[in-house]
Amino acid sequence: MNSKQKMIAGAILFLLFLIGSARIYQTLRSSYTPPDTGSSASSTEDEKVPAPDFTVTDNDGNAVKLSDFKGTPVVLNFWASWCPPCKAELPDFENVYAELDGKVAFFMINATDGVRETKETAADYIAEQGYQFPVFYDLGLQATSLYGISSFPTTVLIDSDGYIAGGYIGMIDEETLRNGIDTITAPQP
């Protein structure tokens, strides 16, 4: 087989590959059903999703469970000190935390993988900035995994009954945080 025949055979094989790929894509696309995100305005009590429980550690190495805060609205914020958007939103979280004075529990959860982020680097950053909100370390990334966190920062809002009430992927500002907190502190009908 000469080089011209090899080139023609290669082009035919490539064309067949493209046609096959397109057919597979169409088949998969037509059978895909997007997950229900629960964003429907007609949500009912039965559709509420309980917040998965997890254990993280505080700065002193003590275990802290999310379930210990049932009865209190909770703001979960997953962050890392290497993440510029995380660092940019932390002052807003500090302002709101200080203003609410314990009416809402803040779980500032550091994704402490031990490689890219260590407890020491995170604690040093928090100390340098003078933040007072409680920081918890997800040393085994249990909480990060349990909540399916794939982007930092991510904020999850949990009502006082322990149900997920909403959340945000990516950086949020103080106004957005306040609006989210309003949804978990407003009297329930």
Side-chain angles (χ1 to χ4, degrees):
M1 190 183 269
N2 65 30
S3 63
K4 187 174 182 180
Q5 289 174 327
K6 286 181 183 178
M7 198 156 103
I8 292 171
I12 291 171
L13 285 174
F14 183 69
L15 183 60
L16 290 173
F17 171 76
L18 288 177
I19 292 170
S21 296
R23 285 190 177 168
I24 291 170
Y25 173 78
Q26 289 296 343
T27 302
L28 291 173
R29 184 175 172 206
S30 66
S31 65
Y32 175 73
T33 305
D36 181 10
T37 60
S39 61
S40 169
S42 63
S43 293
T44 65
E45 192 75 24
D46 296 335
E47 295 175 355
K48 287 187 172 185
V49 176
D53 196 17
F54 58 82
T55 303
V56 289
T57 59
D58 66 13
N59 211 33
D60 297 323
N62 299 313
V64 178
K65 294 178 76 169
L66 174 64
S67 58
D68 294 340
F69 291 83
K70 191 161 183 181
T72 303
V74 176
V75 172
L76 300 180
N77 180 264
F78 293 88
W79 69 281
S81 66
W82 50 260
C83 164
C86 299
K87 291 161 67 169
E89 74 176 4
L90 290 179
D92 291 335
F93 279 80
E94 177 70 16
N95 290 341
V96 175
Y97 167 76
E99 182 182 305
L100 292 177
D101 194 32
K103 294 175 186 156
V104 172
F106 278 68
F107 268 66
M108 304 303 287
I109 301 173
N110 180 259
T112 318
D113 64 4
V115 178
R116 192 170 186 189
E117 182 81 298
T118 65
K119 182 178 175 186
E120 292 75 26
T121 58
D124 289 348
Y125 178 74
I126 293 298
E128 286 169 11
Q129 300 303 312
Y131 294 134
Q132 298 299 308
F133 50 61
V135 174
F136 300 99
Y137 302 93
D138 190 13
L139 300 174
L141 299 182
Q142 174 199 17
T144 303
S145 177
L146 195 60
Y147 279 76
I149 305 302
S150 60
S151 179
F152 296 98
T154 294
T155 303
V156 179
L157 303 165
I158 301 171
D159 67 21
S160 58
D161 293 325
Y163 292 101
I164 295 176
Y168 308 96
I169 297 173
M171 186 179 126
I172 61 174
D173 61 15
E174 188 169 337
E175 181 182 356
T176 304
L177 177 59
R178 288 180 187 282
N179 289 338
I181 289 173
D182 286 347
T183 67
I184 60 175
T185 57
Q188 301 298 317

